[in-house]
Amino acid sequence: MKKSIFAVCDLEASYARNLAEYMNERRHAPFEVQAFTNLDSLEDFASQNHIELLLISTNAMCDRVKQMDVERIIILSEGETMADIGENPFVYKYQPSDQLIAEVMGYYAETGPQVMPEPLSLSATELIGVYSPLGRLGKTAFALTLGEILGEKKKVLYLNLENFNGFETLFDQNYSADISDLLYFARQNEGNLIYRLSGMIRSLGRLDYIPPAFSPGDLRDVGHEEWISLFSRIEAWGDYEVIILDLGSQIEDVFQILKRCGRVYMPVLDDPVSRAKLLQFEKNLRALECGEVEEKLVRLHLPRWGRGEELELPQTLAGGTLGRYVRQLLETGRDEGGEP
């Protein structure tokens, strides 16, 4: 089924074309994006095509636009007052493209769109868990490296569900919204989640991710049913072949999420304290009748990785010590690492 039309109209031609090109390059965009640099071309197009969403600059907005076959209009503001902009919602024009798109998709999702995106693929999505009852093992570095390498051939989404993830510092980002906002939106708007999601997705090389929660309190009351519902809705969208879950022990009933995964990679250590903790973990699995999780576990002894690799996550990891380890793991299915 053909995607709905998202039109961008700005008399500043380079801006309109660059924004449309950026959006069309986003693999997960639920729209076909068209750029227009004058009202005549926009009007001609609208006379033959229904425009679901129009993002238009204030200097192009006029009464002619209101007569076009356009479902929703959002204004590209250069700092005008509310009186200048009128009744339509607006976003600030000169901001990073990913933040602008997140705002636009947020506005659109909240208005209750009439056209839902069709599933993009009928193929099944593989859910991979990365979890350990132990700490300080390089679990997140492994999960990012795994996602980057799988992303060479597949479309991969990474979700970090830890209390403290450090992403803003690691990647020098300032996120305007994160996965806790997505969960809140999912509770309030059952049908429009994909539009909100598509505006939040960021990329690290070949790996897509949703910004993790900044505040640990935002995840404290999220039950496993809510997490599984979110994963299922992303899977149903069909845009990703693999979803990697970087899981922390603070998640309520984490074993139920592990049961949902097709594979679970678990970094381990062999010292006496670590072995005792792992034994307790295994006893808990059996006590909670989660034996199928144990069958999915792939225990890993992750190799060391140096400071130079740590500074430029995740691309240097994919080409470094962890990258070589992950490639061998995926090729042979065996853990051939050393002591972390």
Side-chain angles (χ1 to χ4, degrees):
M1 183 176 177
K2 187 177 180 181
K3 291 182 178 181
S4 300
I5 302 296
F6 180 163
V8 178
C9 182
D10 193 327
L11 305 185
E12 186 182 341
S14 60
Y15 183 93
R17 290 173 182 147
N18 289 339
L19 182 59
E21 182 179 352
Y22 175 81
M23 291 194 66
N24 280 321
E25 287 176 351
R26 289 164 66 94
R27 299 173 297 179
H28 45 267
F31 290 99
E32 174 189 336
V33 185
Q34 298 281 348
F36 300 92
T37 59
N38 61 76
L39 285 177
D40 291 336
S41 60
L42 176 64
E43 194 169 38
D44 288 344
F45 182 86
S47 67
Q48 301 179 54
N49 302 272
H50 173 72
I51 298 174
E52 180 67 16
L53 179 60
L54 172 63
L55 183 63
I56 187 168
S57 60
T58 50
N59 58 5
M61 184 62 188
C62 64
D63 289 338
R64 286 172 62 188
V65 176
K66 299 177 182 179
Q67 305 305 313
M68 298 178 191
D69 185 14
V70 176
E71 192 70 32
R72 287 169 181 77
I73 297 173
I74 297 177
I75 305 299
L76 270 174
S77 168
E78 297 187 22
E80 297 87 349
T81 66
M82 291 296 294
D84 295 326
I85 293 172
E87 61 185 12
N88 299 103
F90 68 94
V91 296
Y92 182 61
K93 179 177 177 178
Y94 300 111
Q95 62 174 312
S97 295
D98 52 2
Q99 293 183 23
L100 184 148
I101 293 168
E103 288 186 29
V104 170
M105 289 295 99
Y107 277 129
Y108 181 72
E110 289 168 4
T111 61
Q114 301 300 310
V115 180
M116 290 295 104
E118 290 292 312
L120 299 179
S121 172
L122 297 178
S123 60
T125 301
E126 181 182 12
L127 205 62
I128 298 176
V130 182
Y131 172 81
S132 179
L134 310 179
R136 298 188 59 82
L137 296 175
K139 176 176 67 69
T140 292
F142 168 80
L144 289 169
T145 305
L146 176 67
E148 175 73 9
I149 290 173
L150 289 175
E152 294 173 0
K153 297 181 179 179
K154 298 180 178 182
K155 297 177 72 174
V156 183
L157 179 67
Y158 168 90
L159 301 178
N160 185 296
L161 309 187
E162 297 179 305
N163 270 345
F164 297 98
N165 50 78
F167 269 42
E168 289 195 348
T169 300
L170 280 173
F171 305 122
D172 192 23
Q173 295 286 332
N174 183 20
Y175 302 118
S176 57
D178 59 42
I179 197 167
S180 62
D181 298 291
L182 186 65
L183 285 165
Y184 178 79
F185 184 87
R187 295 167 186 158
Q188 309 299 319
N189 300 269
E190 179 67 26
N192 311 333
L193 179 72
I194 296 307
Y195 293 110
R196 181 68 165 142
L197 170 68
S198 68
M200 293 179 64
I201 291 172
R202 303 291 187 95
S203 296
L204 294 168
R206 292 174 288 263
L207 176 65
D208 287 350
Y209 72 102
I210 298 172
F214 178 78
S215 173
D218 291 340
L219 303 183
R220 186 174 297 123
D221 298 324
V222 182
H224 71 271
E225 299 97 340
E226 193 168 2
W227 283 121
I228 291 173
S229 174
L230 178 64
F231 306 151
S232 297
R233 291 164 74 177
I234 297 174
E235 288 174 313
W237 184 26
D239 200 31
Y240 291 101
E241 298 168 84
V242 179
I243 299 175
I244 295 175
L245 307 179
D246 189 353
L247 300 163
S249 296
Q250 80 286 346
I251 296 175
E252 183 264 330
D253 210 348
V254 68
F255 290 160
Q256 296 302 318
I257 295 179
L258 295 178
K259 287 171 67 174
R260 185 71 170 70
C261 297
R263 279 183 286 170
V264 179
Y265 290 112
M266 187 172 75
V268 299
L269 292 170
D270 290 330
D271 64 274
V273 173
S274 296
R275 287 200 300 269
K277 291 181 178 181
L278 291 169
L279 180 60
Q280 181 181 353
F281 168 75
E282 292 163 1
K283 288 180 177 179
N284 269 265
L285 284 178
R286 291 190 287 272
L288 296 171
E289 298 182 349
C290 295
E292 66 265 46
V293 173
E294 195 161 10
E295 297 173 4
K296 299 173 183 179
L297 290 176
V298 181
R299 292 169 173 79
L300 307 176
H301 296 81
L302 298 181
R304 295 180 182 274
W305 46 288
R307 291 184 179 179
E309 295 170 320
E310 182 180 1
L311 294 177
E312 297 183 31
L313 296 169
Q315 291 86 347
T316 50
L317 290 178
T321 304
L322 269 179
R324 291 189 292 272
Y325 170 81
V326 170
R327 292 182 194 279
Q328 188 170 23
L329 174 67
L330 293 174
E331 181 178 346
T332 66
R334 297 192 304 271
D335 168 39
E336 299 182 8
E339 288 286 330

